[in-house]
Amino acid sequence: MPQIFDPLPSNSCDRILCCYVNATSKIQVVRITNIANWYFERVVFPGQRLVFESPRAGQLEVHSGTMASAILSDTIPCTELLVQEGAGNFFPSDPVIQQRLELINEAPEAVATKVTSR
């Protein structure tokens, strides 16, 4: 899967396919800044899945907040976002996981209530 706007560095032979899901109700900006000669940045809307290629060493920074300011809320190794190529399905097959993602997108405080009440 080529990156049209931000091609990976030509010396990057250890590429992996990744998928990040914004499971919050806020817009997020994700970036990979730790790879020399490459800068990756995308806006991810609530509930959106972002599929991208990254060098194996990539670290995805997740920034969230308001339009005027953004706070680094998480850094995720891209190896943890690895998608098995050929699987053909980027959506969770477990209905419990799907339902939890839907709840997070609708009302994050409702998830805390449902999880603690089990």
Side-chain angles (χ1 to χ4, degrees):
M1 169 183 284
Q3 291 293 326
I4 296 169
F5 299 113
D6 301 306
L8 287 168
S10 57
N11 62 350
S12 177
C13 60
D14 195 15
R15 303 172 182 196
I16 57 173
L17 184 64
C18 304
C19 181
Y20 173 76
V21 179
N22 179 355
T24 71
S25 61
K26 307 263 190 222
I27 294 174
Q28 296 178 330
V29 175
V30 296
R31 297 183 182 125
I32 297 176
T33 58
N34 69 316
I35 304 298
N37 302 316
W38 187 57
Y39 184 76
F40 177 86
E41 178 176 285
R42 296 288 185 277
V43 174
V44 187
F45 292 94
Q48 181 181 5
R49 296 179 192 292
L50 175 67
V51 178
F52 60 97
E53 273 187 332
S54 169
R56 186 170 290 279
Q59 297 276 328
L60 188 73
E61 297 176 355
V62 180
H63 299 262
S64 57
T66 63
M67 295 297 267
S69 66
I71 298 169
L72 176 62
S73 56
D74 204 0
T75 301
I76 307 166
C78 289
T79 53
E80 291 183 14
L81 303 171
L82 182 67
V83 172
Q84 297 297 323
E85 292 194 58
N89 188 2
F90 298 122
F91 299 95
S93 56
D94 184 349
V96 174
I97 294 172
Q98 287 178 349
Q99 183 180 22
R100 187 163 191 279
L101 285 174
E102 290 170 10
L103 283 171
I104 289 170
N105 288 329
E106 291 171 7
E109 56 281 348
V111 173
T113 306
K114 287 204 176 215
V115 170
T116 56
S117 66
R118 287 185 188 177

